[in-house]
Amino acid sequence: MTQAEIKLCSLLLQEHFGEIVEKIGTHLIKTGSQPLRVIANDTGMSLDQVKKALCVLIQHNLVTYQLQKRGFVEYEASCSRVLRILRYPHYIYTAKTLYSDMGELIVEELLLNGKMTMSAVVRKVANRLTETMEDGKTMDYGEVSNTFVRLADTHFIQRCPMAPETTETSDAPPPPVPTLAVNEKDMYMVPNLNLIGKGKRRRSFDDEDNGEHKAKRQKQDADSKEPPPDDGIYWQANIDRFHQHFRDQAIVSAVANRMDQTSSEIVRTMLRMSEITTSSNAPYTQPLSSNEIFRSLPAGYNIVKQILDQYLTLLADDPLEFVGKSGDSGGGMYVINLHKALATLATATLESIVQERFGSRCARIFRLLLRKKHLEQKQVEDFAMIPAKEAKDMLYKMLSENFVSLQEIPKTPDHAPSRTFYLYTVNTLSSARMLLHRCYKSVANLIERRQYETKENKRLLEKSQRVEAILASMQATGAEEVQLQEIEEMITAPERQQLENLKRNVNKIDASENQVDETIFVLESYIESTVKKL
């Protein structure tokens, strides 16, 4: 684990959970697994504060716990899981794209709260949607429940592991640590709930008038103390499934850029058919026959079977090897080589960065080394058709930045330079790791810059929020246009310009964070896939 990763984790924890949780989380990331009292002693915080911080981290799946042989419980933070916080906007946007506003709000609630029961999610989402609807319209619980079921069916959300049920008559003392488990068959099984009701709006009464309503509400709360029918069945977002979707989208986009839209649609269909049957870390998809692919093509896609076979043959013969042929039964069996696809995407990312950083000639040398594997300096000059002095400078520049490595092959045991071959090569895995480290540093710098911009303009932002709140309350009470204009003029023209600049800068930083995270995803997926294969 690098310093850049620790720093980024610390910034993400502070931004989302505050200073106390950040201090505990960062300490666990740096030191590894530790018991409760050691954490409290090392951080100088009270046991109560440490317990609350650990509860928050466990609730959000950022910390795990296990019982040691000596009988005490140790807590361990997951750095990779903390870094996933950076991708929360992508998960939410994907849910919105696939399942509209309801899917977006369901995934958002699960990510913000860590774990929730289905009934709580449905009620909260219905209330939030009702708030945005016109007066007199409400959102039915049934519609939200249907979207929840669809998300579970496509594995975007899953059940959390549960503690086994204990009988009340049992005299045995409870274990120091609950053993959480979930049956794979039940992981995506939605409880059969009959949720009847509609979303409610927030009511605003004057304090003098709402005494009766408050009493009624307290009576209702007392009546509804019985646990909900799905009590104890908690749900969470399935991050691996979202990553699988991102990977599939990247592969489809790469095929579309390489060939054409029809080819990408065929690959999309193959990936969609393999979504549930293929695990997220498998090197290949399950074999699919040409006939199955033909039957599963989108309804509006009118291509005959013969044309489909030609496209599949073309994809299988392509040098990128995204699609491979695994048999001849059923009109031909085809698979998608996921590992090869991720390696190609990572290599393309590396090439793009070399071109942007060092220029097109360096990119030419880099591509040449990727293709030829090992070359001497003279061979690089000849193949790339670049003068000796320039080629030497470019190679040394890339060597110093760790994009290219140098391998010595001695003819004699004494390693004399005159009797040694010096071969340049590209180690894609180490280059990807180096680049991933730089991406983490970039994101940390962007977050710090955004925090600095916000801190510098804190007074102005607070003033703007106060003015907006006054305007909203006056509009609600039906104030005249002249009065509203007077309130708006409380913010001067220079201040308004400053706010516009701040908004533009923050939006630019947010967009940059998302773009860097896309690169991080490609590199992480490639490294994970390659390490598993080795």
Side-chain angles (χ1 to χ4, degrees):
M1 192 185 311
T2 62
Q3 286 298 316
E5 286 176 275
I6 294 169
K7 184 181 177 183
L8 180 54
C9 287
S10 173
L11 286 166
L12 289 169
L13 287 171
Q14 186 177 11
E15 197 171 40
H16 286 80
F17 303 108
E19 285 183 16
I20 295 173
V21 174
E22 179 268 324
K23 194 171 181 181
I24 301 296
T26 307
H27 175 73
L28 285 174
I29 288 168
K30 285 178 180 176
T31 57
S33 56
Q34 285 195 329
L36 178 66
R37 292 194 180 275
V38 175
I39 298 168
N41 187 47
D42 289 354
T43 55
M45 300 174 80
S46 68
L47 271 176
D48 190 47
Q49 284 179 316
V50 175
K51 284 178 183 178
K52 286 176 180 175
L54 286 171
C55 280
V56 170
L57 291 165
I58 291 168
Q59 171 74 9
H60 288 266
N61 303 311
L62 305 177
V63 162
T64 55
Y65 52 84
Q66 57 182 358
L67 185 66
Q68 294 301 315
K69 290 179 182 176
R70 293 181 183 178
F72 55 82
V73 181
E74 283 195 340
Y75 299 88
E76 186 175 5
S78 169
C79 178
S80 60
R81 185 60 185 77
V82 174
L83 291 172
R84 295 293 82 84
I85 295 173
L86 190 64
R87 213 163 285 156
Y88 278 9
H90 282 222
Y91 303 145
I92 294 166
Y93 180 72
T94 301
K96 182 183 176 71
T97 308
L98 297 174
Y99 299 101
S100 74
D101 291 345
M102 276 187 235
E104 175 195 10
L105 292 180
I106 289 168
V107 171
E108 186 181 328
E109 287 295 336
L110 288 173
L111 289 172
L112 289 177
N113 294 282
K115 304 177 180 78
M116 288 180 82
T117 60
M118 178 182 172
S119 54
V121 173
V122 168
R123 197 174 296 112
K124 206 163 184 182
V125 169
N127 291 347
R128 284 181 64 181
L129 286 168
T130 302
E131 287 282 336
T132 61
M133 297 170 85
E134 298 172 13
D135 289 341
K137 290 187 178 180
T138 53
M139 177 54 65
D140 192 66
Y141 285 175
E143 290 183 53
V144 183
S145 297
N146 291 339
T147 306
F148 192 98
V149 171
R150 285 165 63 204
L151 280 162
D153 288 343
T154 49
H155 297 189
F156 281 105
I157 56 175
Q158 62 185 16
R159 281 194 190 191
C160 301
M162 296 163 57
E165 292 182 10
T166 54
T167 54
E168 291 181 9
T169 55
S170 174
D171 296 330
V177 174
T179 306
L180 303 179
V182 63
N183 192 336
E184 280 192 28
K185 292 178 183 176
D186 300 335
M187 194 175 276
Y188 306 103
M189 189 181 288
V190 180
N192 190 13
L193 301 178
N194 189 17
L195 294 172
I196 301 168
K198 295 181 184 295
K200 296 179 179 64
R201 296 177 194 275
R202 289 180 192 161
R203 294 179 182 176
S204 56
F205 311 107
D206 292 333
D207 288 337
E208 304 84 54
D209 303 333
N210 71 347
E212 183 190 339
H213 291 283
K214 193 180 282 185
K216 188 185 282 186
R217 194 157 56 245
Q218 284 171 351
K219 188 170 184 283
Q220 285 174 347
D221 289 345
D223 294 342
S224 63
K225 276 290 167 71
E226 75 244 11
D230 62 338
D231 187 38
I233 303 174
Y234 287 89
W235 292 82
Q236 62 188 359
N238 184 1
I239 283 174
D240 288 338
R241 178 66 184 86
F242 278 102
H243 288 176
Q244 188 181 338
H245 179 77
F246 297 156
R247 181 202 64 198
D248 293 352
Q249 292 296 100
I251 292 170
V252 169
S253 177
V255 172
N257 292 335
R258 170 84 177 175
M259 302 178 81
D260 65 355
Q261 198 61 40
T262 307
S263 302
S264 70
E265 197 57 50
I266 292 166
V267 170
R268 190 197 303 275
T269 303
M270 291 174 72
L271 288 166
R272 195 173 63 245
M273 291 167 73
S274 309
E275 274 178 348
I276 310 297
T277 57
T278 306
S279 67
S280 57
N281 54 8
Y284 296 91
T285 59
Q286 294 293 326
L288 298 166
S289 71
S290 170
N291 295 327
E292 285 178 312
I293 297 166
F294 181 69
R295 285 195 296 270
S296 300
L297 281 170
Y301 232 76
N302 296 320
I303 61 168
V304 294
K305 177 72 167 59
Q306 189 181 357
I307 300 293
L308 173 66
D309 289 338
Q310 288 175 359
Y311 266 107
L312 287 169
T313 306
L314 198 66
L315 284 162
D317 293 341
D318 189 74
L320 289 182
E321 299 175 8
F322 277 22
V323 176
K325 193 169 184 180
S326 63
D328 295 315
S329 58
M333 301 294 286
Y334 294 90
V335 296
I336 292 177
N337 187 339
L338 300 171
H339 172 72
K340 184 72 178 176
L342 288 170
T344 306
L345 290 169
T347 306
T349 303
L350 286 169
E351 286 178 20
S352 171
I353 287 162
V354 168
Q355 178 148 346
E356 292 297 320
R357 197 175 176 86
F358 305 111
S360 58
R361 285 187 159 197
C362 276
R364 193 195 306 172
I365 293 172
F366 190 78
R367 279 192 290 268
L368 183 66
L369 290 171
L370 283 169
R371 190 169 297 167
K372 300 287 187 181
K373 306 296 182 191
H374 295 86
L375 288 175
E376 289 186 89
Q377 188 177 310
K378 183 72 173 70
Q379 291 174 306
V380 171
E381 295 161 15
D382 294 341
F383 283 127
M385 294 183 288
I386 294 172
K389 187 174 181 298
E390 288 183 36
K392 186 178 179 181
D393 287 346
M394 290 172 185
L395 281 167
Y396 283 8
K397 201 185 290 181
M398 287 192 285
L399 186 64
S400 66
E401 296 276 352
N402 296 322
F403 283 99
V404 168
S405 55
L406 190 63
Q407 189 173 345
E408 296 180 7
I409 302 178
K411 293 180 187 175
T412 54
D414 61 354
H415 283 261
S418 59
R419 292 186 296 278
T420 302
F421 291 112
Y422 294 95
L423 302 178
Y424 287 96
T425 184
V426 174
N427 186 335
T428 315
L429 187 60
S430 65
S431 297
R433 282 190 172 126
M434 175 272 297
L435 196 59
L436 183 61
H437 175 254
R438 289 188 179 180
C439 286
Y440 288 142
K441 285 180 78 172
S442 299
V443 176
N445 291 342
L446 286 165
I447 291 172
E448 284 184 327
R449 182 67 199 179
R450 187 178 66 237
Q451 288 176 350
Y452 171 79
E453 290 278 349
T454 311
K455 191 178 176 182
E456 283 292 295
N457 296 277
K458 188 179 178 183
R459 186 197 61 79
L460 188 59
L461 284 168
E462 287 174 355
K463 183 180 177 181
S464 171
Q465 286 168 358
R466 281 199 305 272
V467 169
E468 283 174 9
I470 293 166
L471 279 170
S473 63
M474 289 184 74
Q475 282 171 346
T477 54
E480 294 178 7
E481 193 65 37
V482 181
Q483 291 175 309
L484 295 174
Q485 201 168 348
E486 282 177 12
I487 299 298
E488 282 178 3
E489 285 171 1
M490 286 169 67
I491 297 178
T492 62
E495 286 178 330
R496 207 172 290 281
Q497 183 64 42
Q498 198 175 338
L499 279 169
E500 284 295 319
N501 291 339
L502 174 64
K503 190 177 179 182
R504 188 167 58 250
N505 290 341
V506 169
N507 287 343
K508 209 178 284 183
I509 289 168
D510 288 342
S512 301
E513 269 183 53
N514 289 332
Q515 285 174 340
V516 177
D517 185 56
E518 285 174 18
T519 306
I520 288 173
F521 173 72
V522 170
L523 296 172
E524 278 181 343
S525 302
Y526 164 68
I527 291 166
E528 190 181 340
S529 170
T530 307
V531 168
K532 278 178 182 167
K533 196 178 179 185
L534 292 174

